[in-house]
Amino acid sequence: MSGERETVLELRDLEVSFRLKGGGVFKAVKGVSFSIYKGETFGLVGESGSGKTSIGRAIVRINDASSGSILYKGREISGRIPKELDREVVRKIQMIFQDPMASLNERAKVDYIVSEGLYNIGVKRSEGERRAMVAKALLEVGLLPEFASRFPHEFSGGQRQRIGIARALIMEPELVVADEPISALDVSIRAQVLNLLSAIQKAKGLTYLFIAHDLSVVRFITDRIAVINKGEIVELAETEELFRNPLHPYTRALISAIPQPDPLVERKKVVMVYDPKCHDCSTDKPAWTDVGGGHFVLANEKEADAYRARIASGP
Amino acid sequence: MANGPAILEAKGLVIKFNLRGRTLTAIRGAGLELYEGETLAIVGESGSGKSVLTKSLIGMLDRNGWVDSGSAMFEGRDLARIKEERDWLGVRGKKISMVFQDPMTALNPLLTIGAQIREVFELHHGLSGKKADHAVVEMLERVGIDNPEERRRQYPHEFSGGMRQRVVIAIAVACKPRILICDEPTTALDVTIQAQILGLIKALQRDLAFTTVYITHDLGVVANVADRVAVMYAGRIVETGLAEEVFYDSRHPYTWALLSSLPQLGVKGRPLYSISGTPPNLFNEVRGDAFAPRNPKALKVDFVAEPPEFEVSPTHRASTWLLDPRAPRIEPPPAILAMRAKLGGAKLGGAKLGAVGGAL
Ligand SMILES: Nc1ncnc2c1ncn2[C@@H]1O[C@H](COP(=O)(O)OP(=O)(O)OP(=O)(O)O)[C@@H](O)[C@H]1O
Ligand SMILES: Nc1ncnc2c1ncn2[C@@H]1O[C@H](COP(=O)(O)OP(=O)(O)OP(=O)(O)O)[C@@H](O)[C@H]1O
Ligand SMILES: [Mg+2]
Ligand SMILES: [Mg+2]
């Protein structure tokens, strides 16, 4: 099935490193590869510090890729690229940031915040056109056009996240990197923002890379999920398959730890702990393996055989 | 759990704040009982008053706030009437202690971890010298910090977020409190660390026999820890009951809305239930049921008269006119009906529900 689908974004062996103050280098993202298909919501899940944001920032080119490639519709977009392509990508790939409280410029009015991206792409527009675009983007995220003249601190968390979404939408993107868009929001507004993201996706045929640490939210909204641990993807599968047959011990530990809003389940549950030492690397090294039907897992041959057997015997 | 007398009983608490010359009523008549050894979880959206209510029990309201009326009886004293700071010293950090969301704010960055725990032993247990050191090491071990002998000489910034929260918990329980209040203790942590911290608090509760109050907006955490649940909305407790009663047989429309909006209970491809509108402005007087303007199925009476507390069972109460015998029958939303069905299934042949991960 994946063969026929259009790939919007492909990462090949992506590595992101940071130079440390002491002089060393820290590899935050190690050899990450995956493809995102047009119209899907691809989830990237892992714990704090696992490298999720670093990947997102590399895709929108805030961070440099230290090696590997990032392909947008088959064309390399990391490193030095032609001006034309650069202009296209600046528009077509947008990011929604993790913390709506910190990510908006406090001293700018909503009007400027939402249209900032337009100034950067250098297309000449009349003031009237620009204002009309801001008004439209605000309406699309359920805010009133008159909010344009206000400052971010006058808004609630949910409204601020809507402003963040509006500033991405105004660029008419094709791919949106949503970095934990609801983690910082209150319970009562999470559902609103999730619904909004889904509705926009349906209306505009957008593709999402949805970054989160909360697997319960990711399960609800994504088509496929990649699980990342310490900069490495350990498992990737269609969402329901991943929950039906979690294979990698890290994925299993992560899933077992999510609290379910169901006391009968919670009281009997056993949380699994991931011990990296459980992998026996003496015989062969782990490799990125398809154990069937597009369910990928980082495993050596012995482990892969065991995983295949587990899938065959049913959950 | 709810057997025996309550060790703490708050009634009709009204708490107000003075803000730039205007008065805001944050808690509008809230009542709460705590029973020996139980875990009570308080849930509700941001601003509903969870922190203010519990802070009032340890004399930690911000300076511009005060308990306007009501009582909070604990060990024969009315905590709501304590005025002097020195009268709180026998309660706060001794009988009732508190753990907050951000461990960094609770720790002094300039003191070693060991020194901060030691203070509690010196203050409350009169220990000193080697004895105090020994108690510190034992406490660190107890909260799961490896190499306590070396670790106690380190500073907070040398610890990870999860380890810091362990230290804060160590400080909070070092005084052997009767009540431990945890205000969003794991919100800033990863799920795997969260599971460890929840497990740690449970283990300590078992060993040291204290009563726990959890404040959280994560209903998954509530399901994990709570014996009883109190649901707060706009400064009142609108529903309270055993965890099973609140999760599988909730009665207040706000509890329905809160549960229905969970992605775990949603159907993929369909919009999640979401609560429209905003909570009432607490500067103004609230008429009727505070949730009525956001409740699509509100009754006429909800807008004019404040609902009293109705008893659903001896352990379960809710303040909603829906429980009045004269009220029309209103079906709860589908997600709530599905939860009810679950309890039925569990009672009949519950083993299936327990399968680990199976229900995820
Ligand atoms: N600019 C930077 N300089 C040095 N190290 C960095 C920098 N940005 C990120 N890192 C490190 O890279 C690792 C991955 O960070 P990243 O922000 O990508 O994690 P994350 O998965 O998004 O975590 P979270 O869930 O907490 O947002 C972390 O160890 C982080 O400390
Ligand atoms: N010092 C203060 N001055 C004025 N108003 C206050 C003060 N402290 C709290 N409030 C108000 O009291 C109400 C209850 O606040 P509280 O902090 O108890 O909410 P909460 O339920 O703990 O919310 P959260 O989940 O965001 O922590 C809010 O409307 C808040 O703005
Ligand atoms: Mg991040
Ligand atoms: Mg609070």
Side-chain angles (χ1 to χ4, degrees), chain A:
Chain A
M1 153 178 117
S2 53
E4 302 148 25
R5 299 177 69 178
E6 184 189 344
T7 299
V8 175
L9 187 88
E10 184 179 353
L11 305 185
R12 280 194 202 146
D13 267 322
L14 177 71
E15 227 176 76
V16 178
S17 302
F18 295 106
R19 225 170 277 287
L20 296 178
K21 277 204 198 103
V25 169
F26 175 74
K27 257 192 216 174
V29 178
K30 306 166 192 162
V32 162
S33 304
F34 57 75
S35 296
I36 303 180
Y37 306 127
K38 187 167 176 53
E40 80 169 334
T41 299
F42 185 92
L44 181 60
V45 185
E47 290 181 277
S48 186
S50 56
K52 306 180 297 293
T53 298
S54 301
I55 292 175
R57 289 167 61 101
I59 293 169
V60 296
R61 301 178 305 154
I62 300 172
N63 288 348
D64 285 329
S66 41
S67 84
S69 32
I70 302 174
L71 306 173
Y72 173 68
K73 296 190 166 172
R75 291 163 296 171
E76 175 68 62
I77 56 164
S78 70
R80 291 178 64 91
I81 58 170
K83 227 186 178 146
E84 268 306 293
L85 179 59
D86 181 79
R87 206 172 266 173
E88 182 182 342
V89 176
V90 162
R91 245 194 120 121
K92 293 292 180 190
I93 309 182
Q94 290 294 316
M95 186 151 172
I96 299 170
F97 293 90
Q98 196 160 348
D99 184 355
M101 288 310 174
S103 64
L104 303 180
N105 178 352
E106 287 301 327
R107 280 182 291 182
K109 285 188 179 160
V110 169
D111 179 56
Y112 176 79
I113 292 174
V114 171
S115 53
E116 193 176 16
L118 294 176
Y119 292 110
N120 297 339
I121 54 173
V123 179
K124 290 261 176 299
R125 259 188 210 86
S126 73
E127 183 60 12
E129 273 173 318
R130 191 190 61 81
R131 277 176 195 273
M133 288 176 79
V134 171
K136 179 165 166 276
L138 288 175
L139 279 171
E140 274 171 348
V141 297
L143 295 175
L144 296 172
E146 41 283 27
F147 288 179
S149 59
R150 298 211 203 152
F151 290 94
H153 70 256
E154 297 170 43
F155 294 95
S156 69
Q159 288 175 322
R160 291 170 69 114
Q161 197 54 291
R162 286 168 191 266
I163 295 170
I165 297 170
R167 78 188 275 197
L169 283 186
I170 202 169
M171 304 297 282
E172 295 176 339
E174 192 154 351
L175 172 69
V176 172
V177 178
D179 189 1
E180 310 233 19
I182 61 162
S183 303
L185 301 179
D186 187 57
V187 257
S188 59
I189 37 190
R190 285 185 178 180
Q192 284 176 21
V193 173
L194 280 180
N195 287 344
L196 174 66
L197 288 170
S198 298
I200 294 171
Q201 178 174 42
K202 262 193 205 142
K204 302 186 178 256
L206 290 183
T207 305
Y208 286 145
L209 170 58
F210 193 98
I211 296 175
H213 63 260
D214 182 344
L215 271 162
S216 52
V217 171
V218 181
R219 179 178 195 175
F220 176 75
I221 195 162
T222 60
D223 301 300
R224 289 189 302 145
I225 296 178
V227 179
I228 182 169
N229 177 37
K230 298 210 160 74
E232 250 181 334
I233 307 279
V234 297
E235 189 161 359
L236 191 165
E238 286 188 1
T239 302
E240 284 316 305
E241 165 65 12
L242 189 83
F243 280 90
R244 206 178 316 124
N245 288 314
L247 297 175
H248 196 279
Y250 178 73
T251 310
R252 295 171 74 84
L254 209 56
I255 290 181
S256 80
I258 326 167
Q260 294 295 303
D262 190 331
L264 292 171
V265 172
E266 277 303 304
R267 283 179 197 153
K268 288 183 190 156
K269 93 162 170 192
V270 180
V271 175
M272 298 176 214
V273 177
Y274 174 55
D275 179 3
K277 290 199 232 48
C278 69
H279 303 287
D280 174 14
C281 296
S282 59
T283 46
D284 50 349
K285 288 252 168 295
W288 191 231
T289 315
D290 187 347
V291 290
H295 189 154
F296 289 85
V297 58
L298 189 65
N300 61 27
E301 275 176 34
K302 209 171 112 200
E303 289 171 327
D305 286 342
Y307 294 157
R308 285 194 190 95
R310 196 186 291 164
I311 293 182
S313 70

Side-chain angles (χ1 to χ4, degrees), chain B residues 17 19 24 26 45-52 62 64 184 282:
Chain B
F17 287 94
L19 208 59
L24 173 153
E45 69 190 67
S46 187
S48 56
K50 307 180 294 293
S51 298
V52 166
D62 293 331
N64 60 334
E184 306 267 7
L282 297 174

